[in-house]
Amino acid sequence: MSLIVVGISDLQTSGDPQDVFITYSLGSCIGVTAYDPAARIGGMIHYMLPLSQIAPDKAAARPAMFADTGVPALLNTLLSQGAAKNRLVVKAVGGAQLMDQHKLFNIGERNFLILRKILWKNNILIKASDVGGMMSRTLRLELDTGRVTVKSSHGEVEL
Amino acid sequence: MSVKADLIQRLSSLPTVPVMANRLVHLLNDPDARPGEISRVIQYDSALTANILKAANSSFLGFTQPVTSLDEATVRLGTNWVFQIAVSSLIYSNLRQPAAGYGMSADETWRHSMAVAVMAEALRDLLHLTSIGTVFTAALLHDIGKIPMGEFVADAFPALQELVDEGNASFEEAEQAILEVDHAEIGALIARQWRFPEAIVDCIRWHHYPEKAPVITPAIDLVHVADAICLLEGLGIGRDDLHYRLCESSIERLRLNQDTTEKAVSQTMAALDAINAAFINAPAVRVGR
Ligand SMILES: [Fe+2]
Ligand SMILES: [Fe+2]
């Protein structure tokens, strides 16, 4: 097994069933896993912000920073590696907030909203999600089984 | 003996911040300082000069002609940039320590401090609050109190956690309730012991509660908001997790909107790559690719 850490503003894909993806410190950011169980190809993204229009140059350098550039990049990479869109199992985690958080800072909520929009346009449903609340999360995807787990201060659960 | 008294006794055995850092901070804040004064002070420290030149020549800044002297770095990148790299390397080499009870390694503590400093600067620029020379250093040191507090937090962690989970307390409120002292209070004492300007001490003291400050300055609001955004964005989350309050009035006072906030986040991520290139002996702080 090789553990591949997906950093902040990072996306990774693989067709090696030995690989396990993990991403840490999901606060208001969203971690998305996409997995094709038949082709056993999968990927993970950890994006920070919803829309790239606020900084197109940053999005060009690091598409995975934003939902609207990163999520399509994740899907396209998987499809080009042989995954089929209608088989993709997509799960999403994160979108948390601080105590007393002002609306303005509701990056987490906006991050999740835009994800649903992008996936809806692609005819993909979110199979499972664990979003919101006031805790950070760690997300894990095992490529041989497609098993997705979420860990927070409340413990670890399968999604 | 109370935890606070115990901590105060230990403060004298903490590593000290180099005199140079203090001098640079005072110089930057001195309206009478002559231009070029900062690089004149730095040039006598060859290790520091080397770090600055290394940073100036990092590929992230993309100069085709190498920067060969401090003066050249100052001209190309500005006094503020040279100051920031200098203060960061001085603090890095002396104060990079774990905050054990908070579940933060030395690297993670550093990564969070640096991120908050860069974020605070990005916000300051975007909001055109150009006159604040203290924000970067204050942000870099805002959680310094966690280093000596760590041991006590480790012992009291179950009680702290319970208060946070059941009592709807923020982590800092829980520290105050159980240990009768919090990391912001200890951090301010440390900065004062190092004779940093009071403006910096105040930013550290009130970084979780700007509204409790006797005089609320833009610098206090900036450090608070930068810390909150970094926590949210996962730039340095420890066992205290996201259990901190966001002060809404800080956002109103700064007239901070969503666009500016998100711009600051994207700029911070790019700037962190460049600034981390300055630290010769350190592995670069990895925040994605
Ligand atoms: Fe803090
Ligand atoms: Fe902090």
Side-chain angles (χ1 to χ4, degrees), chain B:
Chain B
M1 183 161 53
S2 75
V3 172
K4 188 171 172 179
D6 194 352
L7 273 167
I8 289 172
Q9 246 178 36
R10 290 172 191 216
L11 291 188
S12 52
S13 59
L14 260 189
T16 55
V17 72
V19 181
M20 174 75 94
N22 195 304
R23 230 173 125 193
L24 293 176
V25 169
H26 282 281
L27 254 184
L28 197 76
N29 284 313
D30 180 0
D32 297 329
R34 282 169 298 156
E37 191 81 20
I38 285 199
S39 53
R40 260 194 294 281
V41 171
I42 292 171
Q43 67 186 355
Y44 296 107
D45 186 329
S46 53
L48 189 52
T49 304
N51 269 4
I52 292 165
L53 293 181
K54 186 179 180 233
N57 287 312
S58 87
S59 58
F60 294 103
L61 295 174
F63 293 130
T64 44
Q65 290 291 313
V67 178
T68 55
S69 72
L70 268 183
D71 285 338
E72 220 180 304
T74 311
V75 170
R76 287 206 207 174
L77 294 154
T79 305
N80 196 33
W81 186 90
V82 171
F83 164 81
Q84 286 175 22
I85 297 293
V87 168
S88 308
S89 5
L90 291 167
I91 291 178
Y92 181 86
S93 45
N94 292 273
L95 297 170
R96 198 176 133 275
Q97 291 191 35
Y102 296 87
M104 302 269 280
S105 68
D107 272 347
E108 287 164 335
T109 308
W110 175 254
R111 168 180 158 150
H112 175 64
S113 305
M114 201 63 200
V116 177
V118 172
M119 184 77 73
E121 278 287 311
L123 288 168
R124 190 194 65 125
D125 282 352
L126 287 163
L127 296 168
H128 306 293
L129 296 166
T130 43
S131 61
I132 306 164
T134 48
V135 170
F136 186 86
T137 315
L140 209 53
L141 293 170
H142 78 281
D143 272 340
I144 191 80
K146 283 187 177 179
I147 292 170
M149 281 279 288
E151 192 183 312
F152 298 97
V153 166
D155 291 343
F157 198 78
L160 292 163
Q161 180 84 56
E162 196 187 323
L163 205 58
V164 164
D165 285 345
E166 319 289 332
N168 196 35
S170 74
F171 201 83
E172 200 207 17
E173 287 158 3
E175 286 175 348
Q176 215 27 279
I178 289 174
L179 302 170
E180 296 176 326
V181 63
D182 62 65
H183 71 273
E185 195 182 351
I186 289 300
L189 289 175
I190 296 171
R192 187 168 288 144
Q193 182 175 291
W194 289 336
R195 298 178 199 286
F196 274 118
E198 280 300 306
I200 289 181
V201 174
D202 288 343
C203 288
I204 297 170
R205 177 66 190 93
W206 309 111
H207 77 269
H208 289 298
Y209 289 97
E211 281 187 321
K212 290 191 187 167
V215 180
I216 306 173
T217 62
I220 293 175
D221 284 330
L222 278 173
V223 174
H224 168 72
V225 172
D227 185 33
I229 299 174
C230 286
L231 275 178
L232 272 175
E233 295 291 353
L235 302 170
I237 301 177
R239 280 212 294 176
D240 41 354
D241 213 347
L242 302 179
H243 300 299
Y244 290 101
R245 296 185 193 280
L246 183 67
C247 176
E248 292 199 12
S249 65
S250 287
I251 290 157
E252 281 154 21
R253 279 189 296 273
L254 293 172
R255 295 201 187 83
L256 186 59
N257 62 29
Q258 188 173 283
D259 250 34
T260 307
T261 307
E262 294 182 2
K263 265 184 199 151
V265 171
S266 69
Q267 287 181 10
T268 297
M269 294 304 286
L272 278 176
D273 286 337
I275 211 162
N276 281 314
F279 303 99
I280 291 177
N281 300 316
V285 177
R286 260 182 238 293
V287 274
R289 268 182 306 178

Side-chain angles (χ1 to χ4, degrees), chain A residues 48-68:
Chain A
M48 305 178 91
L49 297 167
L51 296 171
S52 58
Q53 68 195 23
I54 53 128
D57 56 321
K58 304 291 187 300
R62 238 188 240 197
M65 188 183 288
F66 302 93
D68 68 339

